[in-house]
Amino acid sequence: MDESEAIVELLEDLLGDHGLHYPNRGQISFNCPVCDDERNKHNLEVNYFSNVFKCWSCGDNEGTHGSLGKLFDKYGNKKLKKLYNILKPETIQVKEKRVPKLKLPEGYKKFSEVNKIYPVRKQAINYLYNRGISDDVIEKYQIGFCDVGDHNGRIIIPSYNKKGELNYYISRSWDPNSRYKYKNPQTEKDKIVFWENMIDWDKDIYLVEGAFDGIFLPNSIPMLGKHMSELLFETIYNNAKGDIIICLDADAWDNATKLYHELNGGSMYGRIKIIKLPDDKDTADLRGQVDEYYYKMRG
Ligand SMILES: [Zn+2]
């Protein structure tokens, strides 16, 4: 029996039978010891990878959230607490690493700042126009380009966090013969939320793979790949008030349905929608016209 199985068993001793369980992300739900009252709602979510729990129903009012240690302290007996202390993973003391602040690449320019007859600007903007990206979109997302330095010949799509600090950028070559289509920063993608400063948490949110998909849909979050980071999952769970619409490329249908089931629980239950795009078209190809591809999930 591995460590995860042991912790699940211990949690069952504490809280009774579990509800949904996603072993690959350490996510599992139980009936809340405070508010369930034998309704079998499984509102208490535990993540035994990050050692936290929260009741989506009474967490905010009753304080039923926090570290797993607290859960065992509050609701466990002596024996269970002792077992948990033996089993719990070492608390890792992560020292704050001094990471230099991310900066836009050398030579980044907004299109609005450069004379329209400048040939490099023309190349860059024609690339965007050919992809169906309008001047309004360019302005809204502060899309720019580089004509010197390491990122010469690339379109830049910046991303800012909620404090307005640059947290990532996409750098896409407009030259079809370029060896590397993308040259993105070293920043770990799973430590940031792309376009965080632009998200309206009260409105419906589209989840897409890349920034070039996201610019065609209102209020979208590019995951920068086919997987959702723990950080994005938590951020959405804690903030999103509207629906979440999953809109990944057709080749990521398995990822998309998995994501659907992961998100469709707790306080998010019933608010997840999914779009199944045709095999040969992604969101960018369709210029965001995805409405006809909503897919009805069963169960
Ligand atoms: Zn509760």
Side-chain angles (χ1 to χ4, degrees):
M1 182 158 85
D2 71 10
E3 236 173 56
S4 300
E5 288 174 50
I7 192 100
V8 168
E9 206 160 272
L10 199 57
L11 284 163
E12 287 193 320
D13 286 345
L14 181 69
L15 301 164
D17 291 341
H18 67 76
L20 292 174
H21 183 198
Y22 303 103
N24 55 348
R25 61 187 315 134
Q27 193 83 21
I28 188 166
S29 65
F30 291 94
N31 289 330
C32 173
V34 175
C35 72
D36 190 68
D37 277 335
E38 307 202 351
R39 290 176 303 155
N40 210 27
K41 292 279 195 190
H42 293 134
N43 279 330
L44 188 92
E45 298 252 2
V46 169
N47 190 295
Y48 55 81
F49 288 172
S50 29
N51 299 310
V52 290
F53 76 99
K54 177 165 186 176
C55 173
W56 296 108
S57 174
C58 74
D60 292 330
N61 294 328
E62 304 286 340
T64 26
H65 59 86
S67 67
L68 272 192
K70 176 178 158 188
L71 183 69
F72 279 92
D73 281 345
K74 264 187 121 162
Y75 307 105
N77 57 29
K78 249 187 176 163
K79 188 183 147 215
L80 286 177
K81 268 191 256 181
K82 212 168 145 188
L83 280 171
Y84 175 70
N85 283 329
I86 296 167
L87 208 66
K88 75 173 171 193
E90 293 294 314
T91 315
I92 306 157
Q93 295 283 354
V94 187
K95 277 204 188 130
E96 281 272 327
K97 253 201 288 175
R98 283 253 157 229
V99 188
K101 258 206 178 134
L102 185 66
K103 284 192 283 192
L104 284 169
E106 182 195 352
Y108 163 86
K109 290 169 182 65
K110 286 187 196 171
F111 286 93
S112 56
E113 297 165 350
V114 180
N115 193 317
K116 285 185 176 162
I117 62 165
Y118 178 44
V120 182
R121 183 193 188 277
K122 275 190 187 167
Q123 285 172 22
I125 208 151
N126 283 336
Y127 172 81
L128 294 175
Y129 288 163
N130 283 332
R131 292 191 68 161
I133 297 165
S134 67
D135 288 320
D136 287 347
V137 168
I138 291 170
E139 191 59 32
K140 177 178 173 194
Y141 292 95
Q142 300 181 40
I143 300 174
F145 69 101
C146 290
D147 59 350
V148 290
D150 283 356
H151 294 72
N152 185 9
R154 290 175 182 276
I155 300 289
I156 308 293
I157 307 180
S159 160
Y160 297 90
N161 67 17
K162 60 184 171 200
K163 289 188 263 175
E165 299 160 340
L166 185 74
N167 65 0
Y168 206 81
Y169 58 81
I170 299 297
S171 147
R172 171 69 161 88
S173 172
W174 65 70
D175 175 0
N177 300 315
S178 169
R179 235 174 113 193
Y180 304 104
K181 272 204 294 189
Y182 290 94
K183 185 172 182 164
N184 298 337
Q186 300 285 321
T187 314
E188 290 174 73
K189 288 188 287 189
D190 59 353
K191 299 285 193 294
I192 61 115
V193 175
F194 202 82
W195 288 335
E196 189 180 26
N197 69 328
M198 304 188 65
I199 305 165
D200 184 343
W201 294 107
D202 294 329
K203 291 189 177 151
D204 295 349
I205 291 168
Y206 287 89
L207 284 175
V208 296
E209 290 188 32
F212 279 97
D213 302 313
I215 51 184
F216 290 104
L217 292 168
N219 210 33
S220 67
I221 307 178
M223 304 196 298
L224 306 177
K226 299 180 192 303
H227 300 277
M228 175 172 284
S229 70
E230 200 71 43
L231 172 71
L232 183 55
F233 186 88
E234 298 288 326
T235 309
I236 287 176
Y237 227 107
N238 293 328
N239 295 290
K241 313 257 184 337
D243 291 344
I244 303 295
I245 303 143
I246 301 167
C247 187
L248 307 188
D249 295 352
D251 66 344
W253 180 242
D254 287 348
N255 302 79
T257 54
K258 198 170 141 250
L259 189 56
Y260 174 93
H261 290 295
E262 283 170 356
L263 284 167
N264 195 34
S267 65
M268 304 274 295
Y269 185 79
R271 290 199 279 132
I272 315 302
K273 292 176 180 162
I274 191 164
I275 285 172
K276 193 173 199 284
L277 294 178
D279 281 343
D280 54 338
K281 296 260 193 300
D282 63 24
T283 303
D285 300 328
L286 292 164
R287 311 289 197 245
Q289 303 299 307
V290 298
D291 279 357
E292 61 189 286
Y293 300 110
Y294 275 95
Y295 184 86
K296 182 106 184 72
M297 291 288 277
R298 260 173 264 199

